[in-house]
Amino acid sequence: MEIFNRKKYLLLALVIILLIIGYGLMSGPKAVEGEFNNAIFSFRRITLAPIVILAAYGSMIFLIFKRK
């Protein structure tokens, strides 16, 4: 009995790529000592990246538990 077929592996790889993109969106420039950078509060880092990451994890859970 095969749990994952080729299609599920490809979708799982796509979800992993989406996770990498989400964590990349969350990253930013290095902190410089003594300076405050307002970029840490940008829409991309505070809102967009967590939504992308949660969507990817949700998709991964759905793919794992989905039956044929």
Side-chain angles (χ1 to χ4, degrees):
M1 184 169 132
E2 187 175 309
I3 296 174
F4 288 128
N5 54 15
R6 180 176 167 85
K7 183 179 176 185
K8 273 194 175 183
Y9 277 121
L10 290 174
L11 288 173
L12 196 60
L14 183 68
V15 168
I16 290 172
I17 291 171
L18 193 62
L19 276 173
I20 292 169
I21 289 171
Y23 282 113
L25 287 172
M26 198 178 293
S27 69
K30 292 182 179 179
V32 179
E33 191 174 328
E35 285 186 29
F36 181 75
N37 190 354
N38 272 339
I40 62 172
F41 299 114
S42 68
F43 170 79
R44 178 185 63 122
R45 295 175 86 179
I46 297 294
T47 307
L48 182 64
I51 289 172
V52 170
I53 291 170
L54 287 175
Y57 277 123
S59 300
M60 187 180 297
I61 291 170
F62 177 76
L63 280 174
I64 291 171
F65 286 118
K66 182 182 174 191
R67 294 183 184 244
K68 290 185 179 182

